[in-house]
Every structure is written in C-alpha cells, then in structure tokens.
Amino acid sequence: VIRRVERTDHERQYSVTNLRWIASFAAEVADIETLRAATSALTTIGSQPDDEAYAAANHALAEGLMIAGDAAAAIARFEQALTILADLELPLDRAEVERRAAAACAFTGDRRTAVARYRSAYRTAIRLGARPLANRIAEEVAKLGEKLEQRLGRLAAAGVGRGGLSP
C-alpha cells in the first residue's frame, strides 16, 4: 500500500484507512521503518484539505510518539484524531483510534480513562459486527487486570467468547 501511494501521487481514496492501520500494526510490532513510511504517506496526504487523512496522520504521529515513549504527547495526538473523526461517519476508524488511545492512557497509568476508551471502542466494534476488533479490545482490557464483565456488562462480556451469538 505504501509503495502504491508513492507511485500514484498519493491517491487517497483507498489508502488512508489502510495506512492508518499499517501505522498501528507497525507500532505494535515495533517496525519503525514501516511506521515512518506510513506516517510520511499520511502526512503528505493529510497536508491537503481532507479531514479523514488529517485524522489518520495524527493517529500515525501518535503511534510514533508511543514508540518513542512519549505517551502523554501520543494521547494528545490521538485526541486530535478523535476530535476530527467525531464529525465524520467513520465509526470503525474511531473505534480503532480509541483502542490505541486507551493503550496510551494505560501506558501513562491512567487506567480509568484507558478502560473508558476501551469500553467505548468495544461497544462500537460490537455494534458494527467487528468481532476481531472487539476480541482484541477484550484481550487488552484483560491485560490491565480488569474483568470485562465488570466494565462492559454481563451480556456484552458473555458475547465475547461466543462470537456475539446468543446461548
């Protein structure tokens, strides 16, 4: 995707969400080169008047700050991305940014805000039928030592293990 964006003069219609996802994945596996490439592509696309790309560029910059260990600055960038996304009809993107913002909050020790962000992202993922994202969020909440049932409600927690299906 990154090479294609570079070859096509930064066409954005298909690439913004993919590049944002690549930035998160690269950050999570500590692939700094890929993170830099995705961030570079997003900041170039985001320099044009495009709210979605601007939000994604903020997200990618936040991921870089997380890698650098500056979670407080990362939270500010994630918040900027979430503010922009609030005006757009991109609920999955918003849920994914909230998941990463929650991770940044957890890194700073702000468990309450982290869990609140995870809860919001989880509920959006469930509403959209984005089971892999919901499961990922449930795992991250569990790593915080929180019980999903306590924070998200018994019915929502019960749905995690069954793929959201009724008993």
Side-chain angles (χ1 to χ4, degrees), residues 74-163:
I75 291 168
R77 286 290 185 164
F78 283 127
E79 291 295 334
Q80 285 179 321
L82 288 166
T83 298
I84 295 164
L85 289 171
D87 294 332
L88 303 175
E89 292 293 324
L90 300 168
L92 181 61
D93 291 37
R94 184 169 173 77
E96 289 176 339
V97 175
E98 279 188 311
R99 180 182 73 83
R100 295 300 293 148
C105 290
F107 187 78
T108 65
D110 186 355
R111 291 170 60 99
R112 179 183 303 248
T113 303
V115 171
R117 286 267 180 226
Y118 280 130
R119 182 182 330 152
S120 175
Y122 179 84
R123 288 183 173 152
T124 299
I126 291 297
R127 188 174 65 250
L128 295 172
R131 179 59 43 199
L133 178 58
N135 289 340
R136 182 87 185 263
I137 292 165
E139 290 169 6
E140 291 176 19
V141 169
K143 285 180 186 175
L144 287 177
E146 296 285 341
K147 291 186 178 180
L148 187 60
E149 188 173 292
Q150 286 177 325
R151 296 292 185 167
L152 299 172
R154 291 180 193 265
L155 293 176
V160 171
R162 296 188 311 273

Side-chain angles (χ1 to χ4, degrees), residues 6 8 22 29 31 36 47 60 77-78 88 97 103 108 121 125 129-130 158:
E6 291 168 350
T8 60
I22 288 168
V29 298
D31 182 348
R36 284 184 183 147
S47 67
R77 286 290 185 164
F78 283 127
L88 303 175
V97 175
T108 65

